[in-house]
Amino acid sequence: ERRFRRRAVRVIVDFQSNTGIRCEYATILGAGGLFIDTAEPIEIGSPIRLRFRLPECDRVHEIEGRVVWHHRAIPGEPATRAPGMGIEFVDAAAAAALARDLDEPR
């Protein structure tokens, strides 16, 4: 059972890790983390700094996280899941601010 509700989104996320700075789409978001849709996921355990804005919000969220899982596309095999990586937020204060914005009625 999940600790936080999740919702489907399409949000551009700028992120920085030990592999450099990149920009990809997040497609699932919750107060505990997000899924970044990418053909080039970062290694599990890697720290990551994320920056994004919810579509209905003016606030820019900057949150520290870490890669907790990834799914890579395997050439020649049918895709059963979208390639990408699951990020867990490790900054409790920033995650709490995000949770407030996610819970506000729209």
Side-chain angles (χ1 to χ4, degrees), residues 80-93:
T80 57
R81 296 187 289 179
M85 57 188 170
I87 308 298
E88 177 183 56
F89 299 142
V90 298
D91 181 338

Side-chain angles (χ1 to χ4, degrees), residues 1-2 7 13 22-23 25-26 37-39 57 72 79 83 89 95:
E1 188 173 315
R2 297 191 182 277
R7 72 181 200 191
V13 178
R22 291 175 37 198
C23 181
Y25 281 99
D37 189 344
T38 179
C57 183
R72 296 181 190 271
F89 299 142

Side-chain angles (χ1 to χ4, degrees), residues 4-5 20 22 25 27-29 31-34 36 44 51 55 59 62-63 65 68 75 80 86 93-94 97-98 101:
F4 302 101
R5 288 184 319 197
R22 291 175 37 198
Y25 281 99
T27 56
I28 301 290
L29 175 64
L34 54 75
I36 296 178
I44 294 171
R51 187 172 190 268
R59 181 189 333 237
E62 294 189 27
I63 302 179
V68 291
T80 57
L98 173 61
D101 282 350

Side-chain angles (χ1 to χ4, degrees), residues 7-13 24-29 35 37 53-55:
R7 72 181 200 191
V9 295
R10 185 150 174 85
V11 175
I12 294 177
V13 178
E24 302 278 359
Y25 281 99
T27 56
I28 301 290
L29 175 64
F35 173 75
D37 189 344
R53 182 189 329 256
L54 298 175

Side-chain angles (χ1 to χ4, degrees), residues 33-69:
L34 54 75
F35 173 75
I36 296 178
D37 189 344
T38 179
E40 299 175 7
I42 299 167
E43 290 304 313
I44 294 171
S46 297
I48 187 169
R49 180 163 181 77
L50 307 131
R51 187 172 190 268
F52 59 91
R53 182 189 329 256
L54 298 175
E56 62 278 355
C57 183
D58 291 334
R59 181 189 333 237
V60 173
H61 291 277
E62 294 189 27
I63 302 179
E64 299 287 333
R66 68 183 175 92
V67 179
V68 291
W69 61 269

